[in-house]
């Protein structure tokens, strides 16, 4: 095994293990609160779907990339390759959708002091489940073409008209057809990005107005404490900023891969590693910004009683 393969394999292994532990820890924490009688916030429902999507992304991309880097190239089967690519793309799309939904919901939440926004907040809570369901269905339908065009490198199909992606290959089309597919797949992403930027801009504006109001409190020598909504909003802004950064970088590498008929080894591995960065960082950003969440992977085991959230009467 070449030293470069060993380094790449270790990077993928560390990213996958750390990401899975972080996401499973967060999911365990929410399940622990639910089964101990706590009523989870509406935002937690969105986070749970984001955690599942993150885990799907890491398992379906990180594990096969790690195995390929360590020299286990005689996998997966043709069906396995289609399933891995399909589930990875679904997980990636749902992560985008849930991040967008989370930013919109938080923007509405902190704007609810206005009567019009308060009415919208009630409606927003009622459509969260439907929105999440539609997000999964939409991504499952959009990414079906990956299951159609992707095959294993060890498939008996003609390999002269295929583009290799390490352990799997895809059917190579002409540039016009590939551009059309890319444009169709980008429509939901662009729409979600637009909504995300709108919601983020609204949250920044509201936080700015809040800080302007507390200036008077500072002048009177009273130590103002940031409200829970303000802290939660700042955390979501950090999460959204991290997502946009990694997603934009990943998209640039995806475009580069699409340009070349046979992208080189380094480009494929860097793109795959960046794809998993947000899924790995996401749970730790949430843990760091929310005091009710565990700080370490097994911190829920130290909880003697549930935090004082909204409990059922």
């Amino acid at each position: 095994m070449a030293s470069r393969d060993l380094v790449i394999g270790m990077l993928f292994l560390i990213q996958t293990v750390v990401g899975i532990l972080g996401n499973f820890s967060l999911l365990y924490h929410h399940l622990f609160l639910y089964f101990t009688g706590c009523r989870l916030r509406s935002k937690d429902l969105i986070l749970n779907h984001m955690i599942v999507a993150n885990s799907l992304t890491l398992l379906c991309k990180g594990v096969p990339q790690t195995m390929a880097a360590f020299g286990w190239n005689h996998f997966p089967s043709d069906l396995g390759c289609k399933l891995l690519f399909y589930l990875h793309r679904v997980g990636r799309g749902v992560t985008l959708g849930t991040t967008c939904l989370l930013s919109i919901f938080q923007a509405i939440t902190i704007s609810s002091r206005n009567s019009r926004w308060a009415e919208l907040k009630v409606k927003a809570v009622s459509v969260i489940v439907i929105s999440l369901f539609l997000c999964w269905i939409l991504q499952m339908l959009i990414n079906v073409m990956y299951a159609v065009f992707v095959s294993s490198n060890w498939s008996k199909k003609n390999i002269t008209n295929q583009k290799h992606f390490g352990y799997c290959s895809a059917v190579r089309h002409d540039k016009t057809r590939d551009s059309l597919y890319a444009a169709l797949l980008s429509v939901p992403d662009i729409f979600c990005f637009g909504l995300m930027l709108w919601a983020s801009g609204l949250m920044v504006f509201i936080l700015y107005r809040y800080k302007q109001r507390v200036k008077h409190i500072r002048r009177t020598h009273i130590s103002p404490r940031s409200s829970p909504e303000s802290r939660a909003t700042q955390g979501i802004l950090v999460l959204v900023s991290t997502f946009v950064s990694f997603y934009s970088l990943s998209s640039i590498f995806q475009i580069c891969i699409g340009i070349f008929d046979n992208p080189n080894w380094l480009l494929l591995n860097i793109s795959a590693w960046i794809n998993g960065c947000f899924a790995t960082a996401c749970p730790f950003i949430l843990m760091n910004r929310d005091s009710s969440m565990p700080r370490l992977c097994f911190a829920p085991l130290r909880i003697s009683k549930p935090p004082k959230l909204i409990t059922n009467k």
Side-chain angles (χ1 to χ4, degrees):
M1 182 191 301
S3 58
R4 69 173 190 176
D5 293 327
L6 179 61
V7 171
I8 290 296
M10 290 303 298
L11 286 175
F12 277 113
L13 181 62
I14 292 171
Q15 182 187 65
T16 304
V17 171
V18 172
I20 291 298
L21 283 176
N23 283 285
F24 275 39
S25 171
L26 211 51
L27 184 61
Y28 171 79
H29 176 70
H30 287 164
L31 292 175
F32 177 83
L33 295 179
Y34 177 78
F35 286 111
T36 50
C38 289
R39 181 182 175 185
L40 298 178
R41 301 162 295 182
S42 300
K43 184 177 69 174
D44 292 332
L45 179 60
I46 303 175
L47 292 178
N48 287 339
H49 283 261
M50 185 185 293
I51 292 167
V52 173
N54 287 341
S55 302
L56 203 60
T57 302
L58 289 169
L59 288 173
C60 294
K61 195 68 172 180
V63 172
Q65 286 289 156
T66 303
M67 295 176 69
F70 284 137
W72 299 328
N73 291 317
H74 296 271
F75 84 97
S77 63
D78 197 46
L79 178 61
C81 230
K82 293 177 183 294
L83 190 61
L84 286 173
F85 260 74
Y86 175 70
L87 291 178
H88 170 257
R89 293 295 307 185
V90 170
R92 188 173 185 263
V94 172
T95 299
L96 171 62
T98 50
T99 306
C100 175
L101 185 61
L102 183 64
S103 61
I104 293 173
F105 179 76
Q106 187 64 25
I108 294 173
T109 298
I110 64 176
S111 306
S112 59
R113 291 172 184 173
N114 183 294
S115 58
R116 291 178 301 174
W117 286 100
E119 183 180 351
L120 186 59
K121 179 184 176 182
V122 175
K123 294 180 180 179
V125 172
S126 63
V127 299
I128 283 179
V129 176
I130 298 175
S131 300
L132 290 170
F133 176 76
L134 290 176
C135 182
W136 281 100
I137 295 298
L138 179 63
Q139 293 300 326
M140 288 179 182
L141 293 176
I142 289 175
N143 292 291
V144 165
M145 64 176 61
Y146 282 94
V148 175
F149 295 130
V150 173
S151 62
S152 172
N153 285 338
W154 304 98
S155 173
K156 295 182 179 180
K157 296 178 182 178
N158 178 24
I159 62 172
T160 60
N161 194 34
Q162 290 185 335
K163 178 185 288 188
H164 293 277
F165 295 101
Y167 54 90
C168 291
S169 302
V171 178
R172 184 189 301 155
H173 303 106
D174 59 89
K175 295 294 183 182
T176 303
R177 193 173 177 182
D178 283 342
S179 300
L180 179 61
Y181 285 145
L184 290 174
L185 291 172
S186 299
V187 170
D189 293 6
I190 295 172
F191 178 72
C192 286
F193 255 84
L195 290 176
M196 205 183 303
L197 291 175
W198 167 80
S200 300
L202 180 60
M203 285 189 284
V204 170
F205 175 70
I206 294 171
L207 286 178
Y208 173 76
R209 287 198 309 174
Y210 171 79
K211 289 186 176 181
Q212 291 295 106
R213 286 198 297 266
V214 300
K215 280 184 178 180
H216 174 71
I217 302 177
R218 290 195 180 99
R219 292 194 191 102
T220 57
H221 304 290
I222 300 175
S223 177
R225 293 185 61 187
S226 179
S227 68
E229 286 184 357
S230 177
R231 292 194 299 272
T233 302
Q234 291 172 6
I236 290 175
L237 284 173
V238 172
L239 188 72
V240 170
S241 300
T242 305
F243 176 81
V244 170
S245 300
F246 283 126
Y247 197 91
S248 300
L249 195 58
S250 173
S251 298
I252 292 172
F253 276 94
Q254 290 293 330
I255 293 172
C256 293
I257 290 174
I259 292 174
F260 298 109
D261 289 334
N262 285 301
N264 63 37
W265 171 89
L266 183 61
L267 184 62
L268 289 173
N269 281 286
I270 291 176
S271 175
W273 193 80
I274 291 174
N275 272 333
C277 284
F278 177 77
T280 300
C282 174
F284 299 100
I285 294 174
L286 293 171
M287 291 177 196
N288 184 57
R289 305 300 301 190
D290 193 334
S291 58
S292 70
M293 292 184 179
R295 300 291 176 174
L296 299 173
C297 290
F298 299 101
L301 299 176
R302 297 185 278 105
I303 299 177
S304 57
K305 60 180 181 179
K308 292 183 180 180
L309 300 177
I310 302 175
T311 53
N312 295 320
K313 299 283 187 178

